[in-house]
Amino acid sequence: MLLNMTNNMMNSRERQQQSNMFVVIQQIAVVFMLLSVQGTNAFTQNIAFSRISSTKATLNSAGMNQIRHGNHNRRERCIINLIAAGPTPPSEMSNFERRMRSLVDTQQKKKISRSAAKSNRPQNLQVVTTLGEYDKALKSANGRIVVVRFHAKWCKACQAVTSSYYRLANGYEDAIFIDVPVTEKNANLHQGLAVPSLPFGHIYHPTGGLVEEMKMSKKFFPKFSRYVTSYIQGECDLKDELSFNSINKEQE
């Protein structure tokens, strides 16, 4: 009878140890799932570290020393060594993890730059998408110079001059600047205004109406900026005046 009781106690202890090992394996699976799927998330890493701590506590309560030195299979020994080593430090990340983290950082920087661009939009800049809005913006100028940029979101040349165009608008707060983005619904607007390419600019004078039509890509933007400055400050470029006089002489 004593022998049977001893055997029962040993079997009960083995079942308890197996149950503890099953719990440990489940916790390890959760830890590696968190670290592999969302390794760049600091909050998720904190959860994983807390899981590891609870796993170590479970092993200690089950008799970790006995498990290490006991007669168990290689799989259990690997699990114990894995828990003791902890997660892979950031300096030992694989190339794939580095690329994924770099990709996430790049996307976050792009979002920040887009939000910053929206927040830095000049106060004297209007965005119009229809012919009615365009006419209304021109009529509401009240004797001020109006500068118009025709552009598109998919146009890289347009994106390249956006910051320069914003700086130009911030430099002349008394003028009105208008952005006309190209969409499927307002294609007739650009065709009606004879916009040949993007980005393209118009300059309207209070007494002369449409006085300038020119390209405003990065190559031509300095010239466009000089024209805007000359009209706003009421100055005429000497080169333009000489060319105008030469044209009149040829016509005579």
Side-chain angles (χ1 to χ4, degrees):
M1 183 175 180
L2 181 60
L3 181 60
N4 292 333
M5 291 178 63
T6 304
N7 291 334
N8 291 334
M9 290 177 63
M10 293 178 62
N11 292 334
S12 177
R13 186 176 299 174
E14 290 178 358
R15 286 194 298 269
Q16 183 65 31
Q17 290 180 355
Q18 291 176 358
S19 177
N20 291 334
M21 289 303 302
F22 180 74
V23 173
V24 169
I25 293 172
Q26 283 185 326
Q27 291 181 355
I28 291 174
V30 173
V31 168
F32 278 95
M33 182 183 68
L34 291 173
L35 291 176
S36 60
V37 175
Q38 297 181 349
T40 58
N41 191 327
F43 177 74
T44 306
Q45 288 183 351
N46 291 333
I47 296 176
F49 278 108
S50 64
R51 291 276 187 173
I52 291 174
S53 298
S54 69
T55 302
K56 289 182 177 180
T58 302
L59 284 174
N60 289 332
S61 63
M64 188 173 183
N65 293 329
Q66 293 180 1
I67 294 175
R68 279 182 176 174
H69 301 291
N71 186 16
H72 292 277
N73 56 31
R74 183 180 300 175
R75 189 175 187 180
E76 292 173 350
R77 293 180 183 276
C78 291
I79 291 173
I80 294 172
N81 294 332
L82 188 60
I83 295 172
T88 303
S91 59
E92 298 179 6
M93 289 189 300
S94 64
N95 292 331
F96 175 76
E97 290 174 332
R98 291 193 186 94
R99 290 196 300 268
M100 293 302 296
R101 176 166 295 190
S102 176
L103 179 62
V104 172
D105 292 341
T106 302
Q107 292 176 348
Q108 290 177 349
K109 289 180 181 178
K110 287 182 178 180
K111 290 181 180 179
I112 293 173
S113 62
R114 284 195 295 266
S115 61
K118 291 181 179 179
S119 62
N120 293 332
R121 180 176 295 171
Q123 297 294 327
N124 56 337
L125 177 66
Q126 304 178 27
V127 179
V128 302
T129 56
T130 64
L131 182 60
E133 293 176 351
Y134 190 80
D135 291 337
K136 184 178 179 180
L138 293 178
K139 292 177 180 179
S140 64
N142 295 327
R144 290 177 291 179
I145 299 293
V146 179
V147 183
V148 184
R149 179 183 70 147
F150 300 92
H151 68 102
K153 293 182 178 180
W154 44 262
C155 174
K156 292 184 178 180
C158 301
Q159 297 174 2
V161 297
T162 296
S163 59
S164 300
Y165 184 65
Y166 282 5
R167 283 195 297 269
L168 184 63
N170 285 322
Y172 299 105
E173 297 180 355
D174 293 335
I176 295 178
F177 286 76
I178 299 175
D179 256 350
V180 186
V182 176
T183 63
E184 295 179 356
K185 297 181 180 179
N186 66 356
N188 58 342
L189 171 62
H190 296 80
Q191 293 175 359
L193 295 173
V195 177
S197 61
L198 297 175
F200 200 76
H202 282 181
I203 302 176
Y204 291 85
H205 193 273
T207 58
L210 179 59
V211 291
E212 296 294 344
E213 301 177 71
M214 65 181 68
K215 296 179 179 180
M216 55 181 302
S217 58
K218 199 169 184 179
K219 178 181 178 181
F220 300 98
F221 193 85
K223 181 181 179 181
F224 179 81
S225 179
R226 289 196 302 269
Y227 273 66
V228 171
T229 301
S230 64
Y231 281 107
I232 292 177
Q233 295 180 354
E235 300 175 354
C236 295
D237 194 351
L238 184 59
K239 294 181 180 179
D240 294 336
E241 185 176 355
L242 293 175
S243 62
F244 178 75
N245 292 333
S246 62
I247 292 173
N248 287 340
K249 289 181 180 180
E250 291 177 359
Q251 291 178 351
E252 292 176 357

PDB file of all heavy atoms in Angstrom, residues 168-197:
ATOM      1  N   LEU A 168       7.036  81.890 -51.632  1.00  0.00           N
ATOM      2  CA  LEU A 168       6.700  83.079 -52.411  1.00  0.00           C
ATOM      3  C   LEU A 168       5.403  83.702 -51.905  1.00  0.00           C
ATOM      4  O   LEU A 168       5.299  84.932 -51.772  1.00  0.00           O
ATOM      5  CB  LEU A 168       6.567  82.701 -53.889  1.00  0.00           C
ATOM      6  CG  LEU A 168       6.319  83.843 -54.885  1.00  0.00           C
ATOM      7  CD1 LEU A 168       7.495  84.802 -54.896  1.00  0.00           C
ATOM      8  CD2 LEU A 168       6.071  83.276 -56.285  1.00  0.00           C
ATOM      9  N   ALA A 169       4.422  82.863 -51.591  1.00  0.00           N
ATOM     10  CA  ALA A 169       3.149  83.364 -51.070  1.00  0.00           C
ATOM     11  C   ALA A 169       3.321  83.991 -49.692  1.00  0.00           C
ATOM     12  O   ALA A 169       2.728  85.038 -49.386  1.00  0.00           O
ATOM     13  CB  ALA A 169       2.124  82.239 -51.019  1.00  0.00           C
ATOM     14  N   ASN A 170       4.144  83.382 -48.855  1.00  0.00           N
ATOM     15  CA  ASN A 170       4.384  83.942 -47.517  1.00  0.00           C
ATOM     16  C   ASN A 170       5.136  85.269 -47.593  1.00  0.00           C
ATOM     17  O   ASN A 170       5.005  86.116 -46.704  1.00  0.00           O
ATOM     18  CB  ASN A 170       5.174  82.950 -46.664  1.00  0.00           C
ATOM     19  CG  ASN A 170       4.326  81.791 -46.181  1.00  0.00           C
ATOM     20  OD1 ASN A 170       3.164  81.970 -45.848  1.00  0.00           O
ATOM     21  ND2 ASN A 170       4.907  80.596 -46.144  1.00  0.00           N
ATOM     22  N   GLY A 171       5.919  85.458 -48.660  1.00  0.00           N
ATOM     23  CA  GLY A 171       6.671  86.694 -48.813  1.00  0.00           C
ATOM     24  C   GLY A 171       5.838  87.868 -49.272  1.00  0.00           C
ATOM     25  O   GLY A 171       6.237  89.025 -49.083  1.00  0.00           O
ATOM     26  N   TYR A 172       4.680  87.585 -49.883  1.00  0.00           N
ATOM     27  CA  TYR A 172       3.808  88.651 -50.383  1.00  0.00           C
ATOM     28  C   TYR A 172       2.385  88.401 -49.887  1.00  0.00           C
ATOM     29  O   TYR A 172       1.522  87.891 -50.619  1.00  0.00           O
ATOM     30  CB  TYR A 172       3.851  88.705 -51.918  1.00  0.00           C
ATOM     31  CG  TYR A 172       5.220  88.995 -52.470  1.00  0.00           C
ATOM     32  CD1 TYR A 172       5.973  87.982 -53.057  1.00  0.00           C
ATOM     33  CD2 TYR A 172       5.775  90.267 -52.394  1.00  0.00           C
ATOM     34  CE1 TYR A 172       7.238  88.239 -53.565  1.00  0.00           C
ATOM     35  CE2 TYR A 172       7.042  90.535 -52.894  1.00  0.00           C
ATOM     36  CZ  TYR A 172       7.763  89.524 -53.482  1.00  0.00           C
ATOM     37  OH  TYR A 172       9.020  89.787 -53.964  1.00  0.00           O
ATOM     38  N   GLU A 173       2.160  88.762 -48.643  1.00  0.00           N
ATOM     39  CA  GLU A 173       0.860  88.497 -48.020  1.00  0.00           C
ATOM     40  C   GLU A 173      -0.254  89.368 -48.575  1.00  0.00           C
ATOM     41  O   GLU A 173      -1.434  89.052 -48.414  1.00  0.00           O
ATOM     42  CB  GLU A 173       0.971  88.700 -46.500  1.00  0.00           C
ATOM     43  CG  GLU A 173       1.932  87.730 -45.824  1.00  0.00           C
ATOM     44  CD  GLU A 173       2.016  87.949 -44.335  1.00  0.00           C
ATOM     45  OE1 GLU A 173       1.396  88.922 -43.847  1.00  0.00           O
ATOM     46  OE2 GLU A 173       2.699  87.143 -43.663  1.00  0.00           O
ATOM     47  N   ASP A 174       0.113  90.491 -49.239  1.00  0.00           N
ATOM     48  CA  ASP A 174      -0.906  91.378 -49.810  1.00  0.00           C
ATOM     49  C   ASP A 174      -1.459  90.854 -51.129  1.00  0.00           C
ATOM     50  O   ASP A 174      -2.497  91.335 -51.600  1.00  0.00           O
ATOM     51  CB  ASP A 174      -0.327  92.786 -50.025  1.00  0.00           C
ATOM     52  CG  ASP A 174       0.002  93.469 -48.700  1.00  0.00           C
ATOM     53  OD1 ASP A 174      -0.625  93.095 -47.681  1.00  0.00           O
ATOM     54  OD2 ASP A 174       0.892  94.344 -48.683  1.00  0.00           O
ATOM     55  N   ALA A 175      -0.772  89.901 -51.750  1.00  0.00           N
ATOM     56  CA  ALA A 175      -1.245  89.317 -53.003  1.00  0.00           C
ATOM     57  C   ALA A 175      -2.095  88.078 -52.710  1.00  0.00           C
ATOM     58  O   ALA A 175      -2.076  87.531 -51.607  1.00  0.00           O
ATOM     59  CB  ALA A 175      -0.065  88.954 -53.895  1.00  0.00           C
ATOM     60  N   ILE A 176      -2.831  87.669 -53.725  1.00  0.00           N
ATOM     61  CA  ILE A 176      -3.659  86.462 -53.606  1.00  0.00           C
ATOM     62  C   ILE A 176      -3.020  85.354 -54.429  1.00  0.00           C
ATOM     63  O   ILE A 176      -2.705  85.549 -55.615  1.00  0.00           O
ATOM     64  CB  ILE A 176      -5.096  86.728 -54.103  1.00  0.00           C
ATOM     65  CG1 ILE A 176      -5.780  87.746 -53.195  1.00  0.00           C
ATOM     66  CG2 ILE A 176      -5.896  85.427 -54.134  1.00  0.00           C
ATOM     67  CD1 ILE A 176      -7.188  88.100 -53.640  1.00  0.00           C
ATOM     68  N   PHE A 177      -2.834  84.214 -53.814  1.00  0.00           N
ATOM     69  CA  PHE A 177      -2.263  83.049 -54.487  1.00  0.00           C
ATOM     70  C   PHE A 177      -3.337  81.957 -54.562  1.00  0.00           C
ATOM     71  O   PHE A 177      -4.052  81.712 -53.585  1.00  0.00           O
ATOM     72  CB  PHE A 177      -1.036  82.540 -53.738  1.00  0.00           C
ATOM     73  CG  PHE A 177       0.171  83.414 -53.903  1.00  0.00           C
ATOM     74  CD1 PHE A 177       0.283  84.613 -53.212  1.00  0.00           C
ATOM     75  CD2 PHE A 177       1.198  83.050 -54.763  1.00  0.00           C
ATOM     76  CE1 PHE A 177       1.389  85.428 -53.366  1.00  0.00           C
ATOM     77  CE2 PHE A 177       2.316  83.864 -54.921  1.00  0.00           C
ATOM     78  CZ  PHE A 177       2.408  85.058 -54.225  1.00  0.00           C
ATOM     79  N   ILE A 178      -3.420  81.333 -55.715  1.00  0.00           N
ATOM     80  CA  ILE A 178      -4.457  80.324 -55.964  1.00  0.00           C
ATOM     81  C   ILE A 178      -3.795  79.039 -56.441  1.00  0.00           C
ATOM     82  O   ILE A 178      -2.911  79.062 -57.301  1.00  0.00           O
ATOM     83  CB  ILE A 178      -5.472  80.812 -57.017  1.00  0.00           C
ATOM     84  CG1 ILE A 178      -6.175  82.081 -56.522  1.00  0.00           C
ATOM     85  CG2 ILE A 178      -6.494  79.730 -57.330  1.00  0.00           C
ATOM     86  CD1 ILE A 178      -7.109  82.694 -57.546  1.00  0.00           C
ATOM     87  N   ASP A 179      -4.237  77.930 -55.887  1.00  0.00           N
ATOM     88  CA  ASP A 179      -3.835  76.593 -56.325  1.00  0.00           C
ATOM     89  C   ASP A 179      -5.000  75.944 -57.048  1.00  0.00           C
ATOM     90  O   ASP A 179      -6.118  75.875 -56.507  1.00  0.00           O
ATOM     91  CB  ASP A 179      -3.417  75.739 -55.124  1.00  0.00           C
ATOM     92  CG  ASP A 179      -1.905  75.585 -55.033  1.00  0.00           C
ATOM     93  OD1 ASP A 179      -1.212  75.974 -55.992  1.00  0.00           O
ATOM     94  OD2 ASP A 179      -1.418  75.081 -54.016  1.00  0.00           O
ATOM     95  N   VAL A 180      -4.748  75.439 -58.263  1.00  0.00           N
ATOM     96  CA  VAL A 180      -5.789  74.758 -59.039  1.00  0.00           C
ATOM     97  C   VAL A 180      -5.301  73.340 -59.334  1.00  0.00           C
ATOM     98  O   VAL A 180      -4.562  73.119 -60.296  1.00  0.00           O
ATOM     99  CB  VAL A 180      -6.115  75.500 -60.348  1.00  0.00           C
ATOM    100  CG1 VAL A 180      -7.303  74.846 -61.048  1.00  0.00           C
ATOM    101  CG2 VAL A 180      -6.398  76.967 -60.079  1.00  0.00           C
ATOM    102  N   PRO A 181      -5.665  72.360 -58.501  1.00  0.00           N
ATOM    103  CA  PRO A 181      -5.240  70.977 -58.755  1.00  0.00           C
ATOM    104  C   PRO A 181      -6.027  70.344 -59.896  1.00  0.00           C
ATOM    105  O   PRO A 181      -7.230  70.590 -60.058  1.00  0.00           O
ATOM    106  CB  PRO A 181      -5.532  70.277 -57.425  1.00  0.00           C
ATOM    107  CG  PRO A 181      -6.646  71.067 -56.819  1.00  0.00           C
ATOM    108  CD  PRO A 181      -6.445  72.486 -57.255  1.00  0.00           C
ATOM    109  N   VAL A 182      -5.354  69.543 -60.685  1.00  0.00           N
ATOM    110  CA  VAL A 182      -5.994  68.839 -61.797  1.00  0.00           C
ATOM    111  C   VAL A 182      -6.702  67.601 -61.277  1.00  0.00           C
ATOM    112  O   VAL A 182      -6.103  66.766 -60.596  1.00  0.00           O
ATOM    113  CB  VAL A 182      -4.959  68.454 -62.873  1.00  0.00           C
ATOM    114  CG1 VAL A 182      -5.629  67.643 -63.981  1.00  0.00           C
ATOM    115  CG2 VAL A 182      -4.308  69.686 -63.450  1.00  0.00           C
ATOM    116  N   THR A 183      -7.989  67.489 -61.568  1.00  0.00           N
ATOM    117  CA  THR A 183      -8.766  66.299 -61.218  1.00  0.00           C
ATOM    118  C   THR A 183      -9.564  65.842 -62.436  1.00  0.00           C
ATOM    119  O   THR A 183      -9.606  66.542 -63.462  1.00  0.00           O
ATOM    120  CB  THR A 183      -9.728  66.600 -60.048  1.00  0.00           C
ATOM    121  OG1 THR A 183     -10.669  67.609 -60.456  1.00  0.00           O
ATOM    122  CG2 THR A 183      -8.958  67.105 -58.826  1.00  0.00           C
ATOM    123  N   GLU A 184     -10.203  64.689 -62.330  1.00  0.00           N
ATOM    124  CA  GLU A 184     -11.017  64.193 -63.440  1.00  0.00           C
ATOM    125  C   GLU A 184     -12.232  65.082 -63.679  1.00  0.00           C
ATOM    126  O   GLU A 184     -12.725  65.181 -64.802  1.00  0.00           O
ATOM    127  CB  GLU A 184     -11.469  62.764 -63.136  1.00  0.00           C
ATOM    128  CG  GLU A 184     -10.322  61.766 -63.051  1.00  0.00           C
ATOM    129  CD  GLU A 184     -10.804  60.366 -62.723  1.00  0.00           C
ATOM    130  OE1 GLU A 184     -12.030  60.218 -62.490  1.00  0.00           O
ATOM    131  OE2 GLU A 184      -9.977  59.442 -62.694  1.00  0.00           O
ATOM    132  N   LYS A 185     -12.710  65.738 -62.626  1.00  0.00           N
ATOM    133  CA  LYS A 185     -13.931  66.533 -62.743  1.00  0.00           C
ATOM    134  C   LYS A 185     -13.685  67.930 -63.316  1.00  0.00           C
ATOM    135  O   LYS A 185     -14.630  68.553 -63.819  1.00  0.00           O
ATOM    136  CB  LYS A 185     -14.597  66.651 -61.364  1.00  0.00           C
ATOM    137  CG  LYS A 185     -15.040  65.315 -60.787  1.00  0.00           C
ATOM    138  CD  LYS A 185     -15.703  65.510 -59.428  1.00  0.00           C
ATOM    139  CE  LYS A 185     -16.154  64.179 -58.859  1.00  0.00           C
ATOM    140  NZ  LYS A 185     -16.788  64.341 -57.525  1.00  0.00           N
ATOM    141  N   ASN A 186     -12.453  68.452 -63.207  1.00  0.00           N
ATOM    142  CA  ASN A 186     -12.221  69.822 -63.677  1.00  0.00           C
ATOM    143  C   ASN A 186     -11.237  69.886 -64.839  1.00  0.00           C
ATOM    144  O   ASN A 186     -10.535  70.890 -65.016  1.00  0.00           O
ATOM    145  CB  ASN A 186     -11.727  70.702 -62.525  1.00  0.00           C
ATOM    146  CG  ASN A 186     -10.353  70.287 -62.029  1.00  0.00           C
ATOM    147  OD1 ASN A 186      -9.793  69.299 -62.477  1.00  0.00           O
ATOM    148  ND2 ASN A 186      -9.811  71.048 -61.100  1.00  0.00           N
ATOM    149  N   ALA A 187     -11.171  68.819 -65.627  1.00  0.00           N
ATOM    150  CA  ALA A 187     -10.262  68.823 -66.785  1.00  0.00           C
ATOM    151  C   ALA A 187     -10.647  69.912 -67.772  1.00  0.00           C
ATOM    152  O   ALA A 187      -9.782  70.513 -68.427  1.00  0.00           O
ATOM    153  CB  ALA A 187     -10.273  67.458 -67.463  1.00  0.00           C
ATOM    154  N   ASN A 188     -11.945  70.213 -67.900  1.00  0.00           N
ATOM    155  CA  ASN A 188     -12.389  71.258 -68.823  1.00  0.00           C
ATOM    156  C   ASN A 188     -11.904  72.638 -68.386  1.00  0.00           C
ATOM    157  O   ASN A 188     -11.722  73.534 -69.212  1.00  0.00           O
ATOM    158  CB  ASN A 188     -13.910  71.248 -68.944  1.00  0.00           C
ATOM    159  CG  ASN A 188     -14.592  71.441 -67.601  1.00  0.00           C
ATOM    160  OD1 ASN A 188     -13.963  71.256 -66.551  1.00  0.00           O
ATOM    161  ND2 ASN A 188     -15.857  71.803 -67.610  1.00  0.00           N
ATOM    162  N   LEU A 189     -11.677  72.821 -67.065  1.00  0.00           N
ATOM    163  CA  LEU A 189     -11.181  74.097 -66.569  1.00  0.00           C
ATOM    164  C   LEU A 189      -9.789  74.382 -67.116  1.00  0.00           C
ATOM    165  O   LEU A 189      -9.507  75.494 -67.603  1.00  0.00           O
ATOM    166  CB  LEU A 189     -11.173  74.092 -65.043  1.00  0.00           C
ATOM    167  CG  LEU A 189     -10.488  75.268 -64.342  1.00  0.00           C
ATOM    168  CD1 LEU A 189     -11.188  76.572 -64.692  1.00  0.00           C
ATOM    169  CD2 LEU A 189     -10.482  75.068 -62.831  1.00  0.00           C
ATOM    170  N   HIS A 190      -8.912  73.405 -67.077  1.00  0.00           N
ATOM    171  CA  HIS A 190      -7.549  73.594 -67.567  1.00  0.00           C
ATOM    172  C   HIS A 190      -7.531  73.716 -69.089  1.00  0.00           C
ATOM    173  O   HIS A 190      -6.744  74.490 -69.645  1.00  0.00           O
ATOM    174  CB  HIS A 190      -6.671  72.431 -67.111  1.00  0.00           C
ATOM    175  CG  HIS A 190      -6.526  72.355 -65.627  1.00  0.00           C
ATOM    176  ND1 HIS A 190      -7.507  71.807 -64.816  1.00  0.00           N
ATOM    177  CD2 HIS A 190      -5.531  72.769 -64.797  1.00  0.00           C
ATOM    178  CE1 HIS A 190      -7.106  71.882 -63.559  1.00  0.00           C
ATOM    179  NE2 HIS A 190      -5.928  72.453 -63.518  1.00  0.00           N
ATOM    180  N   GLN A 191      -8.385  72.980 -69.761  1.00  0.00           N
ATOM    181  CA  GLN A 191      -8.461  73.089 -71.217  1.00  0.00           C
ATOM    182  C   GLN A 191      -8.992  74.451 -71.637  1.00  0.00           C
ATOM    183  O   GLN A 191      -8.501  75.059 -72.595  1.00  0.00           O
ATOM    184  CB  GLN A 191      -9.347  71.970 -71.765  1.00  0.00           C
ATOM    185  CG  GLN A 191      -8.759  70.580 -71.578  1.00  0.00           C
ATOM    186  CD  GLN A 191      -9.717  69.485 -72.011  1.00  0.00           C
ATOM    187  OE1 GLN A 191     -10.841  69.768 -72.444  1.00  0.00           O
ATOM    188  NE2 GLN A 191      -9.283  68.238 -71.910  1.00  0.00           N
ATOM    189  N   GLY A 192      -9.991  74.956 -70.916  1.00  0.00           N
ATOM    190  CA  GLY A 192     -10.560  76.263 -71.242  1.00  0.00           C
ATOM    191  C   GLY A 192      -9.589  77.404 -71.019  1.00  0.00           C
ATOM    192  O   GLY A 192      -9.639  78.417 -71.722  1.00  0.00           O
ATOM    193  N   LEU A 193      -8.682  77.244 -70.050  1.00  0.00           N
ATOM    194  CA  LEU A 193      -7.677  78.272 -69.768  1.00  0.00           C
ATOM    195  C   LEU A 193      -6.382  78.048 -70.547  1.00  0.00           C
ATOM    196  O   LEU A 193      -5.410  78.771 -70.343  1.00  0.00           O
ATOM    197  CB  LEU A 193      -7.380  78.308 -68.267  1.00  0.00           C
ATOM    198  CG  LEU A 193      -8.547  78.735 -67.372  1.00  0.00           C
ATOM    199  CD1 LEU A 193      -8.189  78.572 -65.895  1.00  0.00           C
ATOM    200  CD2 LEU A 193      -8.948  80.178 -67.661  1.00  0.00           C
ATOM    201  N   ALA A 194      -6.393  77.047 -71.436  1.00  0.00           N
ATOM    202  CA  ALA A 194      -5.246  76.759 -72.314  1.00  0.00           C
ATOM    203  C   ALA A 194      -3.968  76.501 -71.517  1.00  0.00           C
ATOM    204  O   ALA A 194      -2.908  77.081 -71.778  1.00  0.00           O
ATOM    205  CB  ALA A 194      -5.036  77.898 -73.310  1.00  0.00           C
ATOM    206  N   VAL A 195      -4.080  75.628 -70.519  1.00  0.00           N
ATOM    207  CA  VAL A 195      -2.901  75.245 -69.733  1.00  0.00           C
ATOM    208  C   VAL A 195      -2.178  74.128 -70.479  1.00  0.00           C
ATOM    209  O   VAL A 195      -2.693  73.010 -70.578  1.00  0.00           O
ATOM    210  CB  VAL A 195      -3.320  74.790 -68.323  1.00  0.00           C
ATOM    211  CG1 VAL A 195      -2.103  74.316 -67.545  1.00  0.00           C
ATOM    212  CG2 VAL A 195      -4.014  75.921 -67.577  1.00  0.00           C
ATOM    213  N   PRO A 196      -0.982  74.377 -71.021  1.00  0.00           N
ATOM    214  CA  PRO A 196      -0.317  73.382 -71.868  1.00  0.00           C
ATOM    215  C   PRO A 196       0.431  72.305 -71.105  1.00  0.00           C
ATOM    216  O   PRO A 196       0.640  71.194 -71.614  1.00  0.00           O
ATOM    217  CB  PRO A 196       0.655  74.243 -72.695  1.00  0.00           C
ATOM    218  CG  PRO A 196       1.007  75.374 -71.780  1.00  0.00           C
ATOM    219  CD  PRO A 196      -0.218  75.641 -70.952  1.00  0.00           C
ATOM    220  N   SER A 197       0.900  72.607 -69.884  1.00  0.00           N
ATOM    221  CA  SER A 197       1.711  71.653 -69.129  1.00  0.00           C
ATOM    222  C   SER A 197       1.588  71.954 -67.650  1.00  0.00           C
ATOM    223  O   SER A 197       0.986  72.957 -67.241  1.00  0.00           O
ATOM    224  CB  SER A 197       3.183  71.724 -69.564  1.00  0.00           C
ATOM    225  OG  SER A 197       3.703  73.028 -69.311  1.00  0.00           O
TER     226      SER A 197
END
